[in-house]
Amino acid sequence: MWNNIVNTVLLGTGKKQLRKDDLPPALSAIADTVLGDKSLDVETQFLHLAALALNYRQSGVTALQDSSVTLEAAPDELLPYCSPAACQALQTAIDMGLQALILYWMEACAAARQLAPPEFIPTLMDMAIKEKQWRNLALTVGGKRGEWLGQLNPAWAFKKIETTEERWQTGALEERKQVLAAIRQENPAQAREWLHQTWSQENAATRAELLEVLKINASEEDVPWLETLLTDKSTKVKNETWELLKQLPTSSITQAYWQLLKQSITPAKKGLLNKKSLDIHLQLPSDKRIADSGIQLISSSKNTNDDVFILYQLTAYVPPAWWEDYLQTDKKGVLSYFNNTELTEKFIQALGMAASRFRDLDWLRLIIKEGEDFYMDAMKILPVHDMEAYALRFLEKEAQFIIRILSERDYEWGLPITRELFKWIAKNPYQYNRNFFDKQIQNIPLLIAGELESFTPELPAYQATWKNTTEHIKRLLTCKAAINKSFSNTK
Amino acid sequence: MLLTEEHVIGLAPDDASRKAGSALASPGKWVSKGANTDALWGECQGSGSKPYQTQVDIINVAFKCSCPSRKFPCKHGIGLMLLYARQKDTFTDNTPPAWVSDWLSKRAEKKVEKSDKPVDENAQAKRLQARQQKVADGITELMLWMKDIVRNGLLQIPEKGDAYWENMARRMVDAQASGLAGMVRALGETNFYSEGWQLSFLDQLLRIYLVVQGYTQSADLDEPLQQELRSLIGFTQNQEALKQQTGIKDSWLVLSKQTTEEENLTTERYWLYGQHSRQSALVLQFYVRNQTRPEVLITPGIALQGELVYFPSPIPLRAIIKYPVSNISLPEVTGLEGWTQVTATETALFEQMPVRSERPYIVQQLTPVQHNLQWWLKDREERLMPLKAGYPNIWKLLALSGGKPLNMAILGKEQQYEPLGAWHNGSYKLL
């Protein structure tokens, strides 16, 4: 019926007129009356009948009856939903648009083996579209309902990866690196084996990136395989391999460095008091591999000759403990050998670098304690307590580097270092804005909230900025506290 | 006051206000704050030298803030109410300061002040007669214009420029038929790029025709229908007079709030449903950005205990609230059993008034299902009704449903429905 009416008006009543047959039988009688009324022009007749038909259509709507249309219900959840307080905390984090807090909430929820209420799942899934690394977590807190929605919405059809091996085999590079790093922490040999298995299928850039992960828990068991990689066509891969081998004492390159060092640096007694010292004479020709492995042969400083420069670098690449055997003395004794001449004094820094590289904490602690140099790598190796104490010592000199390293560590900072960091940031308000705190909220301890005002900088121009920042940090911490509290019973 | 955090968040006019309001929901932001059984108040230190004074009349559900923002409620209002919802215990002061008690007493005075002014009935009748003549002249012109469209056909219609529609709309404004002007504008706003535009265009054209025909022959019609038609033409209703009438006392569920903005005029549409009367209602609030703002707060997701007066109509829907009302938690309602009852109700409504807007229903046990690449709502008798095309909250609805039936508040007519909210685990969730 309606098509007939529409077709008539499409052409216009000037060309086509509505007929009784165009209307349903129920309207025939009234159509006769209207069409028979010659006092009405054709347009009025059309409008009369179409208006009548409109209400006929409107009044006759019925629902479609079809029992074949079904939707399989989502399976029952196996885990409980989170508490109303947790929902509220999530809502606050979403309202504030704070991704770091939403992530923190999902981690807390997953750790508590609870689920996000269904109404939040679409928001979390939408976020996971953009943030790939959130997907597994979104699926975890979304529970069976999330998986079920993923079957209906292709954009949310994230594959929940159950096993780490599956994630390793099917994940994107960043995720694979994360998996490999986690495995390397727990089972270094397995991580090496996994990489070995897929090695031939990876492209050069991926090979280099994945190889870098093997720096975690690198051991002499890696050496045979790594040494075969020195023939790789890719320079990136070769460089990465050298970097790894240079931190392994049993590698032939470290041994070669040591041989050359032993030949070139010999113990001696000098002066009237027979002071213990070291003679330095670079023994050439050196092994070709020394240059190949990245050792610079020409000094970049006028004050240091090439021979000393080479030996300095080599010292940074051999375990400091070897000097104890070689010089037949303890750590302090080794340091005093090096300290006794102006030339070798500089090598203490190289020993510090070597201590970091070979993760020799005793040596590192001693050098840190005795010296005034800042070793960047030490920040990554020292246990949290020592690292924070070390960071406090050098904060004024190396603030930005220390803040960066602390930001990359996944743990809650101690109060003393947080205080000093915030004091420094308060004095440098343009380098660290709200975004910085948004991203670091997981690291910031709740207890700092009460002290924020005390960090107000002296410079009046910066005081208002810090006041605003303080308010923002407090809001973040309030939300973080609410998340912690709402999951505390199950943590 | 029963406002929960979720309710307060629902009051925020936009995302920015919600974020800014959340940021102000901390005690440190408030120089002073207090609450008693009548009101809630606080002073918030803003960028100015004096703190902003924010107050909420709990009894009459009204709001005021001294800040320059024209958002309603402003971020200070959201912040204060959020803080109250979260930390009621911190509102220890229960003696309202002068600026709060003055405001409350002025509001009370205003109600008394509104006395009847003497009305010159002769002059009023003359004005009405003159207007009716203007409307009649306008209608004659409109009819000619519409017949032209019908005679020439719709094929060339999409090529008509804006002036074609706007000129006729303005002519209707001149004829003091603002309702018709709006209907003509809506006709010109048909999406001519969408498939099947001819159908919606013809529907709107016929609605105009029905209104005009009904109005011109209204002498034979019942009074409520006459009033409804007059209102569709553009005659306004004296709301003060309306407020003097006896309304329907009930617990009114605030099912949803829809906000639209056009040329600085913000329109808030609140969809209500009476627990005992089982009647739906539409309450409108208008305000002009940067000039006025309403004082009344209606919170979606809770219920108002109070009296509603409907505008005269054979199928009453639009209503005004008679204050005072109080907020109560959402009561239980049964609603209709399925689509058969919805369509029967719709048929009865169309029988009385063929030109009418969509209205809300509460329907039991509806399940969202997919059929022919479209989402539908299936009732327990396995009858299906399509969801409005482009319904934005389908995923939230599906997440709540999980493929199982839910009692829902829906809005629509004919074959276009959109869920406004759904009962999930005993609580009403806004969609």
Side-chain angles (χ1 to χ4, degrees):
Chain A
M1 164 195 81
W2 203 245
N3 281 346
N4 297 334
I5 295 170
V6 172
N7 287 339
T8 303
V9 78
L10 263 180
L11 292 172
T13 50
K15 291 181 181 152
K16 186 177 186 296
Q17 289 170 21
L18 201 60
R19 293 172 298 124
K20 180 180 157 185
D21 297 347
D22 293 331
L23 299 168
L27 299 181
S28 292
I30 194 87
D32 279 338
T33 311
V34 172
L35 294 171
D37 186 346
K38 297 303 171 194
S39 69
L40 302 176
D41 55 42
V42 176
E43 288 72 42
T44 307
Q45 286 178 343
F46 172 85
L47 286 164
H48 263 33
L49 289 174
L52 196 67
L54 170 73
N55 208 29
Y56 179 79
R57 187 197 77 195
Q58 290 179 150
S59 308
V61 169
T62 53
L64 174 73
Q65 175 96 48
D66 190 342
S67 58
S68 69
V69 180
T70 54
L71 180 64
E72 195 178 336
D76 290 338
E77 298 294 354
L78 302 174
L79 298 174
Y81 287 113
C82 66
S83 65
C87 294
Q88 201 52 62
L90 176 59
Q91 185 64 59
T92 307
I94 292 171
D95 285 339
M96 291 172 79
L98 294 174
Q99 298 221 337
L101 275 175
I102 299 169
L103 184 62
Y104 186 74
W105 187 95
M106 288 202 289
E107 283 170 350
C109 186
R113 295 185 53 76
Q114 292 180 4
L115 299 174
E119 62 264 39
F120 287 102
I121 296 174
T123 308
L124 298 178
M125 292 296 219
D126 278 342
M127 287 176 160
I129 293 175
K130 291 178 204 147
E131 305 287 338
K132 281 185 181 176
Q133 66 276 24
W134 287 29
R135 290 181 179 177
N136 231 30
L137 209 47
L139 280 175
T140 304
V141 299
K144 299 283 177 196
R145 188 67 54 94
E147 286 174 32
W148 178 81
L149 287 167
Q151 290 164 16
L152 297 168
N153 186 344
W156 298 342
F158 316 132
K159 192 169 181 296
K160 187 170 186 184
I161 298 164
E162 302 289 352
T163 65
T164 28
E165 188 163 5
E166 208 180 337
R167 285 173 67 199
W168 162 248
Q169 283 170 0
T170 59
L173 179 58
E174 272 313 303
E175 192 177 12
R176 295 181 72 206
K177 279 169 72 176
Q178 283 173 16
V179 172
L180 195 64
I183 293 291
R184 185 72 172 169
Q185 291 284 8
E186 289 171 15
N187 188 345
Q190 190 183 20
R192 186 183 62 243
E193 185 54 33
W194 279 8
L195 186 55
H196 189 188
Q197 281 169 3
T198 61
W199 189 255
S200 59
Q201 293 139 41
E202 316 283 4
N203 64 39
T206 308
R207 289 204 301 274
E209 294 240 7
L210 293 173
L211 203 53
E212 196 186 347
V213 177
L214 294 197
K215 280 181 184 162
I216 301 166
N217 281 336
S219 73
E220 59 185 281
E221 289 170 21
D222 300 326
V223 173
W225 182 57
L226 287 175
E227 289 192 334
T228 65
L229 306 183
L230 290 172
T231 53
D232 198 285
K233 283 178 190 165
S234 158
T235 312
K236 269 188 185 174
V237 173
K238 268 193 282 201
N239 289 343
E240 206 55 60
T241 309
W242 280 122
E243 280 307 307
L244 270 162
L245 287 169
K246 284 193 288 190
Q247 70 177 60
L248 295 170
T250 54
S251 70
S252 53
I253 191 64
T254 308
Q255 293 293 340
Y257 288 169
W258 180 234
Q259 289 312 316
L260 190 55
L261 278 170
K262 280 202 295 187
Q263 288 162 21
S264 309
I265 301 178
T266 48
K269 288 183 178 170
K270 283 185 184 167
L272 292 171
L273 296 172
N274 276 341
K275 266 173 82 177
K276 288 177 181 177
S277 64
L278 297 167
D279 280 336
I280 292 188
H281 298 289
L282 181 64
Q283 298 300 305
L284 291 173
S286 64
D287 194 328
K288 179 181 174 295
R289 286 177 302 169
I290 289 187
D292 289 349
S293 65
I295 298 295
Q296 302 294 313
L297 301 181
I298 297 168
S299 168
S300 53
S301 163
K302 282 182 192 170
N303 301 329
T304 310
N305 71 39
D306 292 347
D307 291 0
V308 171
F309 181 59
I310 291 168
L311 292 171
Y312 173 90
Q313 292 175 74
L314 298 182
T315 305
Y317 284 108
V318 296
W322 287 359
W323 293 101
E324 293 172 52
D325 280 346
Y326 177 57
L327 298 173
Q328 289 295 301
T329 181
D330 61 7
K331 294 178 181 65
K332 285 196 172 177
V334 173
L335 287 183
S336 64
Y337 262 111
F338 278 96
N339 265 328
N340 279 346
T341 71
E342 203 177 318
L343 186 65
T344 54
E345 200 180 32
K346 292 174 189 166
F347 280 56
I348 302 283
Q349 203 177 41
L351 286 172
M353 286 152 70
S356 297
R357 180 164 291 114
F358 292 97
R359 296 172 180 272
D360 192 327
L361 285 177
D362 291 340
W363 259 100
L364 188 57
R365 285 187 178 119
L366 180 69
I367 289 173
I368 284 171
K369 193 178 155 197
E370 303 275 317
E372 287 304 318
D373 290 322
F374 178 69
Y375 299 96
M376 292 185 174
D377 285 343
M379 288 287 295
K380 299 173 186 168
I381 288 150
L382 287 169
V384 166
H385 180 76
D386 292 356
M387 184 264 287
E388 289 195 350
Y390 188 53
L392 278 170
R393 254 180 78 191
F394 288 94
L395 188 69
E396 277 303 318
K397 255 168 75 180
E398 302 286 347
Q400 285 173 311
F401 176 79
I402 287 171
I403 291 172
R404 182 165 68 77
I405 294 293
L406 284 170
S407 304
E408 287 166 1
R409 301 274 299 245
D410 186 17
Y411 81 104
E412 194 167 278
W413 301 331
L415 268 179
I417 186 68
T418 311
R419 278 188 198 111
E420 296 309 311
L421 284 183
F422 280 23
K423 274 184 208 166
W424 193 88
I425 288 171
K427 286 187 276 183
N428 297 273
Y430 301 122
Q431 280 167 278
Y432 297 94
N433 56 18
R434 288 177 177 201
N435 271 345
F436 170 79
F437 295 100
D438 290 352
K439 285 180 187 157
Q440 296 324 132
I441 187 60
Q442 303 198 33
N443 302 108
I444 303 173
L446 295 177
L447 286 174
I448 204 70
E451 301 182 26
L452 293 169
E453 277 84 4
S454 67
F455 309 140
T456 304
E458 285 174 11
L459 204 60
Y462 292 165
Q463 287 174 357
T465 312
W466 180 248
K467 193 179 170 213
N468 288 337
T469 308
T470 296
E471 289 296 334
H472 186 66
I473 299 170
K474 279 185 181 173
R475 285 196 294 276
L476 293 172
L477 290 173
T478 305
C479 187
K480 181 179 175 178
I483 296 171
N484 286 352
K485 194 178 167 195
S486 58
F487 289 109
S488 61
N489 295 337
T490 44
K491 260 186 174 177
Chain B
M1 190 158 68
L2 290 159
L3 292 190
T4 63
E5 287 187 48
E6 194 183 353
H7 294 142
V8 178
I9 296 283
L11 281 172
D14 50 40
D15 276 355
S17 303
R18 200 163 63 212
K19 273 188 195 171
S22 300
L24 290 175
S26 77
K29 285 282 179 188
W30 296 87
V31 180
S32 73
K33 60 184 184 305
N36 61 16
T37 49
D38 298 331
L40 173 68
W41 62 88
E43 288 180 290
C44 183
Q45 188 60 59
S47 48
S49 57
K50 282 172 103 183
Y52 295 126
Q53 297 174 331
T54 311
Q55 48 206 317
V56 182
D57 177 345
I58 297 174
I59 306 252
N60 295 302
V61 205
F63 163 81
K64 191 183 174 191
C65 182
S66 63
C67 77
S69 165
R70 291 290 164 187
K71 286 187 179 172
F72 182 80
C74 64
K75 61 180 180 180
H76 307 104
I78 301 277
L80 183 68
M81 286 187 278
L82 261 184
L83 185 58
Y84 186 67
R86 285 178 189 164
Q87 300 176 37
K88 217 168 277 180
D89 302 344
T90 62
F91 287 68
T92 47
D93 182 6
N94 55 19
T95 312
W99 53 272
V100 177
S101 44
D102 286 355
W103 177 62
L104 292 175
S105 52
K106 269 183 195 163
R107 284 181 55 75
E109 277 167 24
K110 263 188 198 170
K111 281 179 203 154
V112 179
E113 267 174 23
K114 285 169 187 164
S115 56
D116 292 334
K117 288 177 188 169
V119 177
D120 181 346
E121 287 182 0
N122 278 340
Q124 202 177 38
K126 270 187 188 172
R127 278 201 303 273
L128 181 63
Q129 201 178 8
R131 183 172 180 187
Q132 281 171 337
Q133 188 54 52
K134 272 188 168 183
V135 171
D137 293 346
I139 282 177
T140 307
E141 229 173 292
L142 178 63
M143 279 299 97
L144 278 174
W145 182 79
M146 283 172 63
K147 282 187 195 176
D148 254 5
I149 292 174
V150 170
R151 187 181 313 110
N152 296 324
L154 305 188
L155 290 173
Q156 310 302 320
I157 285 289
E159 292 160 23
K160 305 277 185 198
D162 289 347
Y164 181 75
W165 312 103
E166 195 49 34
N167 286 346
M168 182 45 70
R170 283 189 187 149
R171 176 67 194 95
M172 290 302 104
V173 172
D174 291 344
Q176 294 190 293
S178 58
L180 290 177
M183 291 180 91
V184 169
R185 284 200 180 102
L187 190 66
E189 283 162 8
T190 302
N191 181 3
F192 295 112
Y193 294 103
S194 73
E195 199 180 332
W197 65 265
Q198 301 88 343
L199 303 178
S200 54
F201 182 88
L202 181 59
D203 278 9
Q204 180 66 8
L205 190 75
L206 294 172
R207 278 187 213 112
I208 299 173
Y209 185 70
L210 277 163
V211 170
V212 167
Q213 288 297 307
Y215 173 75
T216 49
Q217 295 166 44
S218 61
D220 303 332
L221 302 175
D222 292 341
E223 179 63 22
L225 186 50
Q226 281 187 28
Q227 292 279 358
E228 171 91 58
L229 287 163
R230 280 168 54 81
S231 140
L232 286 168
I233 292 286
F235 288 89
T236 50
Q237 186 77 37
N238 182 340
Q239 295 202 20
E240 286 310 314
L242 212 56
K243 277 184 188 164
Q244 304 309 314
Q245 295 178 16
T246 308
I248 298 175
K249 286 182 183 162
D250 204 344
S251 302
W252 297 95
L253 285 73
V254 185
L255 299 175
S256 179
K257 168 189 173 184
Q258 294 171 329
T259 307
T260 51
E261 194 172 320
E262 199 177 342
E263 292 176 358
N264 278 353
L265 179 73
T266 303
T267 307
E268 291 177 349
R269 299 158 74 83
Y270 293 94
W271 296 103
L272 274 59
Y273 183 85
Q275 181 196 12
H276 303 293
S277 61
R278 302 184 76 170
Q279 289 208 50
S280 40
L282 168 64
V283 172
L284 297 180
Q285 282 205 136
F286 303 97
Y287 54 96
V288 181
R289 201 207 292 176
N290 298 332
Q291 285 181 37
T292 58
R293 56 181 174 181
E295 281 198 341
V296 179
L297 282 176
I298 306 174
T299 315
I302 63 167
L304 300 172
Q305 182 72 53
E307 197 174 346
L308 245 63
V309 184
Y310 282 98
F311 284 64
S313 165
I315 49 163
L317 181 67
R318 192 173 163 204
I320 52 170
I321 299 172
K322 269 180 95 167
Y323 288 91
V325 289
S326 53
N327 286 338
I328 56 167
S329 51
L330 216 60
E332 277 190 23
V333 285
T334 44
L336 302 175
E337 285 177 12
W339 290 118
T340 308
Q341 285 190 0
V342 174
T343 51
T345 311
E346 283 277 292
T347 300
L349 291 167
F350 277 122
E351 188 183 351
Q352 296 180 74
M353 186 61 207
V355 181
R356 45 169 283 257
S357 60
E358 52 196 9
R359 63 173 54 211
Y361 297 98
I362 292 173
V363 187
Q364 299 168 20
Q365 303 294 290
L366 292 178
T367 313
V369 290
Q370 211 166 18
H371 175 55
N372 287 343
L373 302 173
Q374 197 184 347
W375 287 103
W376 302 60
L377 292 173
K378 185 173 79 166
D379 68 9
R380 55 184 152 203
E381 287 178 333
E382 300 192 317
R383 290 182 196 277
L384 302 161
M385 194 60 90
L387 273 183
K388 194 178 266 186
Y391 173 63
N393 300 319
I394 180 63
W395 296 108
K396 189 172 177 186
L397 179 71
L398 277 165
L400 288 170
S401 152
K404 290 179 181 159
L406 297 172
N407 291 351
M408 288 182 202
I410 55 163
L411 175 70
K413 64 172 188 173
E414 240 189 304
Q415 284 187 310
Q416 291 274 303
Y417 290 89
E418 62 174 315
L420 300 173
W423 278 264
H424 180 256
N425 290 341
S427 69
Y428 182 70
K429 305 280 182 188
L430 293 166
L431 289 165

